[in-house]
């Protein structure tokens, strides 16, 4: 849900069928006007995600992780459905509104999902379990990157061509919303924080498929008790005490949204070629996440991998900036014209 939604939009709005539907082609809009509209579509989603991540703190702490995730999935699904109402006569309004709601849902889900996974996972494999969340994110992104390439290969340019990627959002969103009340159990850790110990033990026994008198269950409940007591002492027991701001503004998100524009600026022309290159970028991200989750995360520790990843992302983005900033002037001075 999260990976797909962040990946498909950049390639979808670059389709000729989408531009023709909303009169965004060069005969109706300048390149600058289209860039502004694209930025609006992206930024409304990001704004929704920002406020959704903040709202997830309140929902996750007051209602619980399970109900917070359910609300986020319902909001996302509602937003995805509203986007399907957009057409040439209605304009982009439904897409703008739907992107805000989808962003709210995604922001909340991206906050609560890794938290929930870490709280219910056995300590021995907690790193890999959270890593599976990242892998699922990248698989969704991989589908989002490749779907428009497949559509342009097999479906003629029409409203159907661009509406299908928008409609597919309903599949993961709907499955998520249906599965939460049927499958998920509330986090034992959250229940203990709320002094609902009996429910916590019951849920942990279900998750581990063990009896409440099993030594493993007794030991894990004791560990949760110790950690909750430590958090209350070190952080505080008030509602606003644990609030800490964190950013998901990773450099890869910018590449996700604007990948067709970026690859076009590198001289890669042709609609299908640009979509194919974007798909290859998605494959590389997915492979890297698989290596990280299964080979690195539990062998080299979180801190060192985080430092290396942040450093690598920073260097890559700085290099991209240097190329974008100075290459046109260099080619122009060499007499090659506009790059």
């Amino acid at each position: 849900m999260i990976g797909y939604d962040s990946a498909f939009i950049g390639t979808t709005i670059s389709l000729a069928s989408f531009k023709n539907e909303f009169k965004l082609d060069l005969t109706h809009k300048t390149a600058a006007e289209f860039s502004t509209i694209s930025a609006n579509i992206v930024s409304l989603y990001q704004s929704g995600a920002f406020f959704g991540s903040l709202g997830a703190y309140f929902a996750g702490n007051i209602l619980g992780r399970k109900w917070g995730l359910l609300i986020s999935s319902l909001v996302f699904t509602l937003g995805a459905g509203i986007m399907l109402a957009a057409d040439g006569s209605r304009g982009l309004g439904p897409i703008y509104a739907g992107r805000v709601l989808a962003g709210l849902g995604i922001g909340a889900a991206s906050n609560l999902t890794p938290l929930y996974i870490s709280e219910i996972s056995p300590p021995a494999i907690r790193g890999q379990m959270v890593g599976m969340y990242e892998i699922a994110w990248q698989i969704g992104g991989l589908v989002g990157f490749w779907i428009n390439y497949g559509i342009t290969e097999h479906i003629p340019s029409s409203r159907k061509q661009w509406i299908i990627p928008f409609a597919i959002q309903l599949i993961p969103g709907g499955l998520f919303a249906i599965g939460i009340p049927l499958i998920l159990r509330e986090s034992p850790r959250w229940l203990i924080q709320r002094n609902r110990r009996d429910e916590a033990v019951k849920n942990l026994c279900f998750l581990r498929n063990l009896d409440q008198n099993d030594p493993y269950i007794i030991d894990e409940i004791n560990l949760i008790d110790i950690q909750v007591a430590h958090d209350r002492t070190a952080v505080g027991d008030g509602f606003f005490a644990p609030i800490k701001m964190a950013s998901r503004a990773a450099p890869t998100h910018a590449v996700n949204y604007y990948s067709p524009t970026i690859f076009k600026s590198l001289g890669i022309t042709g609609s299908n070629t640009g979509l194919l290159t974007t798909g290859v970028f998605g494959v590389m991200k997915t492979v890297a996440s698989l290596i990280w989750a299964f080979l690195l995360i539990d062998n080299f520790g979180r801190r060192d991998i985080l430092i290396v990843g942040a450093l690598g992302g920073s260097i890559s983005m700085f290099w991209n900036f240097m190329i974008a900033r100075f290459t046109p002037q260099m080619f122009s001075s060499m007499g090659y014209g506009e790059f």
Side-chain angles (χ1 to χ4, degrees), residues 219-243:
D219 184 57
E220 189 165 357
I221 288 292
N222 288 335
L223 289 175
I224 294 174
D225 284 334
I226 293 171
Q227 187 62 52
V228 169
H230 173 270
D231 291 346
R232 286 172 176 168
T233 302
V235 181
D237 201 28
F239 181 77
F240 292 98
I243 294 181

Side-chain angles (χ1 to χ4, degrees), residues 46 246-254:
Q46 290 294 326
S247 172
R248 287 201 61 88
T252 54
H253 287 277

Side-chain angles (χ1 to χ4, degrees), residues 164-175:
I164 288 177
F166 279 94
I168 287 178
Q169 295 178 97
L170 294 172
I171 298 175
L175 290 175

Side-chain angles (χ1 to χ4, degrees), residues 2 18 88 97 147 229 300 311 320 325 332:
I2 300 171
F18 182 87
I147 187 169
F300 294 93
L311 183 62
N320 287 342
R325 177 66 180 82
S332 179

Side-chain angles (χ1 to χ4, degrees), residues 40-41 44-45 48 75-76 78-83 86 92-104:
N40 290 338
I41 293 174
L44 286 172
Y45 174 82
V75 171
F76 171 82
L78 175 62
I82 289 175
M83 291 184 220
L92 292 168
I95 291 180
Y96 288 148
R99 290 287 287 174
V100 172
L101 290 175
L104 285 169

